[in-house]
C-alpha cells in the first residue's frame, strides 16, 4: 500500500502545516500560496533551501525541514477504520507492506505518528531501499520484504496513476486506485479496481474469493 494520500491524507496535513507556519512567521497569503504550491506534490530538504531564499526566511533549510517534518507527522492521521482493516487483512492471511517514495526521515516519522508501523509486515521507503516507484525494482523489493517473489498474487493500492498504478501493473501486480472521488482519466491501462478510500480498498480485498487472491 502507498502511504501519502492512500493510508494518510497528505494533502490535508500540508494544508494544516502551511496554516500553522504562516501564522507563526506572520507570512502573507501570497507566501502561503507559494509554500502550498512548492509542497503540493512532494517535498525534500532541498525544497526548503529554495523556499528560504524565495520567502526570505531566517531559519536554516535544515531547521525548516525539521519544523515541516514534525508538523507533518503531527498531522499524519489514518481515516477511521484503516488500521483495523490492515489487521483484518493480515488475520485473513495477507502480507501487508507499505511502499512509499520519499525521504526516509519524514516518511518514517509519519508512519510512526499515524500508528501504521504496528499494523504492517514490511515498510519500504524509496530513499532507504534505493528504488522509487514506478520502477519495477521498488515493487520487487517490497514484495520480497513481505516474504514472496514477484510475479505473485499481489495487489498494489495507491492514489497515483503513474507511480502506483502503471508502475505496479508493469511489475505484474494487480492494482487498486484510490480515487478520493475523482474519475479515472489517464491514458493507458486502467486499474483493476477503483476504491474511494483505503478502507474501501481493504474491504474489496477482504471480499475476494480465496482463488483470486
Ligand atoms: Mg500517494
Amino acid at each position: 500500500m502507498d502511504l501519502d494520500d492512500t493510508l494518510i491524507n497528505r494533502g490535508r496535513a500540508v494544508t494544516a502545516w502551511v496554516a500553522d507556519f504562516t501564522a507563526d512567521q506572520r507570512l502573507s497569503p501570497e507566501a502561503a500560496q507559494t509554500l502550498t504550491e512548492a509542497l503540493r506534490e512532494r517535498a525534500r530538504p532541498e525544497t526548503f533551501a529554495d523556499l528560504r531564499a524565495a520567502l526570505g526566511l531566517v531559519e536554516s533549510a535544515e531547521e525548516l525541514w525539521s519544523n515541516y517534518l514534525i508538523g507533518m507527522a503531527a498531522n499524519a492521521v489514518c481515516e477511521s477504520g484503516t488500521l483495523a482493516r490492515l489487521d483484518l487483512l493480515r488475520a485473513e492471511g495477507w502480507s501487508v507492506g507499505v511502499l512509499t517514495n520519499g525521504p526516509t526521515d519524514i516518511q518514517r516519522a509519519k508512519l510512526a505518528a499515524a500508528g501504521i508501523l504496528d499494523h504492517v509486515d514490511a515498510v519500504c521507503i524509496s530513499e532507504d531501499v534505493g528504488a522509487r516507484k514506478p520502477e519495477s525494482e521498488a515493487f520487487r523489493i517490497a514484495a520480497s520484504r513481505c516474504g514472496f517473489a514477484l510475479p505473485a498474487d499481489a495487489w498494489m493500492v495507491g492514489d497515483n496513476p503513474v507511480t502506483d498504478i502503471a508502475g505496479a501493473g508493469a511489475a505484474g501486480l494487480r492494482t487498486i486506485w484510490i480515487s478520493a472521488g475523482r474519475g479515472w482519466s489517464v491514458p493507458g491501462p486502467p486499474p483493476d479496481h477503483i476504491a474511494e478510500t483505503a478502507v474501501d480498498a481493504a474491504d474489496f480485498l477482504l471480499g475476494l474469493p480465496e482463488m483470486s487472491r
Side-chain angles (χ1 to χ4, degrees):
M1 301 189 91
D2 170 52
L3 175 64
D4 289 317
D5 291 319
T6 295
L7 289 174
I8 62 171
N9 190 329
R10 179 182 182 275
R12 196 160 56 205
V14 169
T15 301
W17 182 80
V18 168
D20 287 349
F21 185 76
T22 304
D24 280 354
Q25 303 260 341
R26 300 175 187 273
L27 296 175
S28 67
E30 292 74 25
Q33 187 67 24
T34 300
L35 284 165
T36 300
E37 282 169 15
L39 302 170
R40 180 174 290 139
E41 290 300 322
R42 58 191 286 210
R44 293 175 288 177
E46 306 88 277
T47 310
F48 285 88
D50 297 342
L51 284 168
R52 179 175 187 271
L55 301 178
L57 302 172
V58 174
E59 291 86 349
S60 69
E62 291 75 20
E63 287 168 331
L64 293 168
W65 174 251
S66 174
N67 181 322
Y68 175 74
L69 185 155
I70 291 165
M72 287 297 285
N75 287 300
V77 180
C78 292
E79 180 198 357
S80 170
T82 303
L83 298 178
R85 294 308 197 288
L86 299 181
D87 292 342
L88 266 175
L89 283 166
R90 295 170 77 203
E92 289 286 317
W94 293 83
S95 289
V96 180
V98 176
L99 175 58
T100 175
N101 284 348
T104 302
D105 57 0
I106 193 166
Q107 298 308 81
R108 190 158 276 281
K110 287 185 287 186
L111 284 160
I116 294 168
L117 292 174
D118 294 335
H119 299 268
V120 295
D121 298 289
V123 167
C124 280
I125 301 171
S126 63
E127 183 184 67
D128 181 39
V129 302
R132 291 177 61 81
K133 297 177 289 185
E135 299 164 16
S136 290
E137 180 66 2
F139 296 95
R140 191 195 63 73
I141 294 168
S144 164
R145 291 196 177 184
C146 284
F148 57 88
L150 292 177
D153 288 340
W155 290 78
M156 177 68 197
V157 180
D159 68 296
N160 188 303
V162 176
T163 56
D164 294 319
I165 303 306
L173 289 84
R174 283 170 288 175
T175 54
I176 302 177
W177 181 56
I178 300 298
S179 70
R182 300 167 294 169
W184 178 265
S185 59
V186 178
D192 292 288
H193 184 73
I194 295 176
E196 191 154 340
T197 66
V199 166
D200 295 338
D203 286 342
F204 169 78
L205 292 172
L206 288 163
L208 286 176
E210 197 87 24
M211 287 302 289
S212 57
R213 289 184 182 176

